[in-house]
Amino acid sequence: MLEFDNVEVYYGKIQALRGISVRVEEGEIVALLGNNGAGKTTTLSAASAIVKTHSGRISFAGTDITRAKPWDVVGDGLIHVPEGRRIFSTLSVLENLQLGGYLVKDKAAVAKRLKDVFELLPLLAQRRSQQGGTLSGGEQQMLAIGRALIAGPKMLMLDEPSMGLAPLIVAQVMQVIKEVNANGTTVLLVEQNARAALKITSRGYVIENGLTTMTGTGPELLADSRIVEAYLGA
Ligand code: ATP
């Protein structure tokens, strides 16, 4: 469904991606693992066309999106949930969710998705009038996921959803991601918390220094001594 073929990205003279090749099939949850600065966020940004791809090719649902505009990518159904959640802190939970449907012309579809999000995340329904900025970190992450779902994604790209959250809350967020996937949305997940990510993913890729260097199924990667040493804190 989403494919990166030897993608290279520069920030000015600095080369951030030196050859990223990643394939996500429809229905999968795929994780990108790697240390700080390895190029995980840039990989997502290249797909959502926030940064320019220097060379290589990115395709989504059969369309070449290498040179697409960000709004076209969103329109195609590829939705990026950025690191740090980016909740509008003075807007209510409901208003934050409604913003997710801003580009959607079919308002009946938005109303139906809002109902579905409140069913999946009842906490957001209870707190619909509360200001976004007063939610806890975990609740804000749920709101960011809910807001992305209102846009009607075929595929979600989630950047470090576990960042700054307590282990119990990380498990809840991962459970929500699993449910979103079970309901039919393909997921590409960037995580430093490799252990949490690999529990719910079908496959993972390791990114080192702008290159994809390793790939395998969740259990394969969890059993790989190099992964354990580098990313699981053994
Ligand atoms: P992190 O988990 O810390 O966000 P990451 O794996 O997501 O790490 P990126 O954020 O993609 O890594 O960064 C890849 C490289 O590109 C790093 O060397 C980083 O310093 C550099 N970089 C990222 N954004 C910019 C920018 N806007 N301008 C210049 N260099 C950048």
Side-chain angles (χ1 to χ4, degrees):
M1 179 166 230
L2 179 66
E3 189 168 359
F4 299 79
D5 183 14
N6 211 14
V7 168
E8 298 188 30
V9 169
Y10 286 81
Y11 293 107
K13 288 197 178 123
I14 300 168
Q15 185 165 17
L17 302 187
R18 300 189 295 132
I20 295 288
S21 294
V22 168
R23 218 184 138 84
V24 186
E25 305 291 348
E26 189 169 355
E28 276 192 306
I29 303 180
V30 170
L32 301 182
L33 311 174
N35 289 324
N36 276 333
K40 305 176 301 295
T41 297
T42 303
T43 300
L44 299 193
S45 300
S48 45
I50 303 168
V51 301
K52 205 171 134 221
T53 296
H54 172 79
S55 63
R57 186 173 187 272
I58 308 173
S59 66
F60 177 64
T63 305
D64 186 337
I65 58 165
T66 317
R67 306 270 170 258
K69 296 291 177 209
W71 46 90
D72 292 329
V73 175
V74 170
D76 288 344
L78 180 59
I79 308 293
H80 185 164
V81 181
E83 192 173 330
R85 347 224 204 266
R86 315 252 176 100
I87 294 305
F88 292 93
S89 58
T90 59
L91 298 184
S92 70
V93 166
L94 180 61
E95 287 165 338
N96 268 283
L97 289 170
Q98 285 166 334
L99 273 172
Y102 185 70
L103 286 176
V104 183
K105 293 205 176 69
D106 182 352
K107 293 306 165 196
V110 171
K112 159 86 172 64
R113 288 176 201 149
L114 191 59
K115 206 169 143 268
D116 292 345
V117 165
F118 282 156
E119 235 164 73
L120 176 71
L121 301 162
L123 176 133
L124 297 182
Q126 287 158 20
R127 293 170 181 248
R128 70 182 80 196
S129 308
Q130 188 172 329
Q131 279 194 344
T134 63
L135 296 176
S136 72
E139 290 162 356
Q140 289 194 16
Q141 186 58 56
M142 303 297 187
L143 178 53
I145 293 172
R147 182 175 60 190
L149 290 175
I150 303 288
K154 292 192 182 103
M155 177 164 174
L156 277 186
M157 297 191 293
L158 301 162
D159 197 349
E160 305 243 8
S162 77
M163 176 127 80
L165 304 180
L168 187 66
I169 312 295
V170 172
Q172 287 171 7
V173 169
M174 292 298 152
Q175 185 55 36
V176 165
I177 294 169
K178 233 172 118 176
E179 281 174 42
V180 166
N181 176 253
N183 292 340
T185 308
T186 306
V187 175
L188 180 58
L189 177 64
V190 160
E191 262 304 338
Q192 296 223 13
N193 189 336
R195 204 182 293 279
L198 289 175
K199 276 192 195 145
I200 64 161
T201 52
S202 30
R203 292 183 305 115
Y205 291 84
V206 175
I207 298 185
E208 290 172 299
N209 209 358
L211 277 172
T212 27
T213 53
M214 241 189 270
T215 182
T217 64
E220 276 167 4
L221 291 175
L222 279 171
D224 188 306
S225 59
R226 289 164 301 174
I227 300 278
V228 172
E229 262 170 49
Y231 306 109
L232 298 176

